[in-house]
Amino acid sequence: MLTGAKLEALLAKLRRALEERGDAEAAEKLFREVLAEAQRLGVASAYVHYVLSGALDRMGKLEMAFDEIKKAVRADPLALPVRHAFGDVAARLRAALADPERAVDDAAIPRLYTLLVEAGEADLEAHLAMVRFAVATAQLERARALAEAVTTLFPAAREAWEALARVARAQGDVARAVAADAEAVGVGVQAPLFGVTGKAMA
Amino acid sequence: MKDILLKVQAAQKLSSEEPEQAELFLRSALKDAEALGQSSATLHLQLAELLYRLRRTRQALEEVFVVLELDPFNLTAVKLYQTLGRRLRSEATAAERSVS
């Protein structure tokens, strides 16, 4: 077990970081110093990554918070509080990516999208935001490949087919656009799950 | 991994009403994790907290030692270690008094 004056000094620094209320940047610096020292000592501290992630999240540094919480999960994958925090930060990241206020060609989109994809946390909205970005930045081939993949991943999502139709149309592929439009209309029709419509007959 | 997490969730749900059952789930989760070559400071800490509430101070302390071995920077474990130390001392003092 790691003991002694060095550990006490690091724990004191960690306490200072946690108690730091007014100066979030100073707290982050202290957390990072503790982490660097922990790494030097060969300790992967899920706890420090977890509390640093919380501090970064409160500061609005969402991408950095996500990075730290991923490290915390890696260090202790069975820790439920860490896993819950991971889910929360990932959800906020998805919301940030799909924010309707965000310009479709915002340079942050591919970065946020990559973070989510690498963590296996991208949802339909995230993929569609990336498709829109690729179209807006004239990367039509990339948009097409992604849109095709999204319709495979989410075949029952009308928005996915509509996105594919838009991309195909932008590429001049009218046949694919029409086919995708037809799929979009098809998935929009909901068949009743139970019962036969019409008058019941004995 | 999923099965282990289910056991941990069950332990968490049971910890206030049925702490003994919660302990069984946690120990089983720890055993499964060990079989997979996984060690979890948080699981040991959860068990230590449970044992502390059950007033099994020495066993709780053993678990806290494992936590601090895995993650010496876990301040929750450091705090519990100090609390357990105080409790052990006061228990020892009470035992001495009753003997004298």
Side-chain angles (χ1 to χ4, degrees):
Chain A
M1 198 194 308
L2 186 61
T3 52
K6 179 127 196 154
L7 177 64
E8 280 310 315
L10 286 169
L11 289 175
K13 195 179 269 192
L14 193 53
R15 282 191 198 97
R16 275 211 313 280
L18 283 168
E19 285 157 11
E20 189 67 69
R21 290 281 177 265
D23 192 347
E25 300 288 341
E28 183 189 346
K29 189 170 171 280
L30 289 170
F31 278 129
R32 292 205 184 278
E33 283 172 12
V34 174
L35 267 179
E37 196 57 33
Q39 264 164 8
R40 215 180 56 77
L41 295 165
V43 176
S45 173
Y47 179 83
V48 183
H49 285 299
Y50 173 66
V51 288
L52 172 57
S53 172
L56 291 166
D57 190 22
R58 285 191 295 279
M59 289 161 75
K61 296 179 175 179
L62 203 51
E63 292 169 55
M64 284 184 182
F66 194 56
D67 193 40
E68 289 304 324
I69 202 66
K70 275 195 298 188
K71 288 177 187 162
V73 172
R74 219 173 296 138
D76 193 347
L78 296 171
L80 285 185
V82 172
R83 295 182 81 95
H84 289 152
F86 173 84
D88 287 347
V89 181
R92 269 200 286 287
L93 212 51
R94 283 194 293 270
L97 181 57
D99 184 356
E101 299 286 302
R102 188 182 291 279
V104 287
D105 61 348
D106 185 340
I109 289 174
R111 210 175 54 240
L112 294 172
Y113 178 71
T114 305
L115 278 176
L116 285 167
V117 168
E118 282 174 358
E121 289 292 321
D123 64 356
L124 174 64
E125 276 306 312
H127 292 303
L128 292 177
M130 189 61 207
V131 172
R132 287 193 291 273
F133 173 84
V135 172
T137 53
Q139 303 175 66
L140 289 181
E141 268 182 45
R142 189 179 179 194
R144 174 69 174 267
L146 192 52
E148 294 281 2
V150 176
T151 57
T152 307
L153 281 172
F154 303 93
R158 190 189 341 186
E159 305 95 306
W161 291 106
E162 287 169 350
L164 176 58
R166 274 195 299 277
V167 176
R169 208 155 272 128
Q171 284 182 310
D173 186 349
V174 179
R176 187 66 179 131
V178 168
D181 275 336
E183 293 282 358
V185 171
V187 294
V189 177
Q190 294 285 323
L193 284 173
F194 297 100
V196 179
T197 52
K199 199 175 174 183
M201 305 285 282
Chain B
M1 183 76 101
K2 232 177 190 169
D3 287 347
I4 302 176
L5 288 169
L6 284 175
K7 285 178 185 176
V8 180
Q9 276 170 345
Q12 209 169 38
K13 278 189 185 138
L14 290 164
S15 66
S16 52
E17 301 288 320
E18 305 277 355
E20 285 85 1
Q21 275 193 43
E23 182 191 351
L24 292 182
F25 275 106
L26 272 180
R27 289 201 186 276
S28 175
L30 279 166
K31 202 174 157 196
D32 292 351
E34 205 177 306
L36 290 175
Q38 287 269 0
S39 52
S40 168
T42 312
L43 275 196
H44 284 285
L45 181 59
Q46 226 174 307
L47 181 56
E49 284 168 338
L50 197 68
L51 293 166
Y52 167 72
R53 291 211 325 266
L54 291 166
R55 300 204 70 85
R56 284 152 62 185
T57 312
R58 283 191 187 281
Q59 287 181 34
L61 203 54
E62 279 168 24
E63 291 302 324
V64 171
F65 280 139
V66 180
V67 179
L68 293 174
E69 190 84 50
L70 292 167
D71 188 350
F73 301 100
N74 189 318
L75 283 182
T76 312
V78 171
K79 215 177 272 177
L80 184 57
Y81 171 73
Q82 289 161 347
T83 308
L84 287 165
R86 274 196 300 274
R87 188 193 266 180
L88 265 185
R89 279 194 295 276
S90 72
E91 281 171 0
T93 311
E96 268 172 34
R97 257 192 227 131
S98 70
V99 168
S100 64

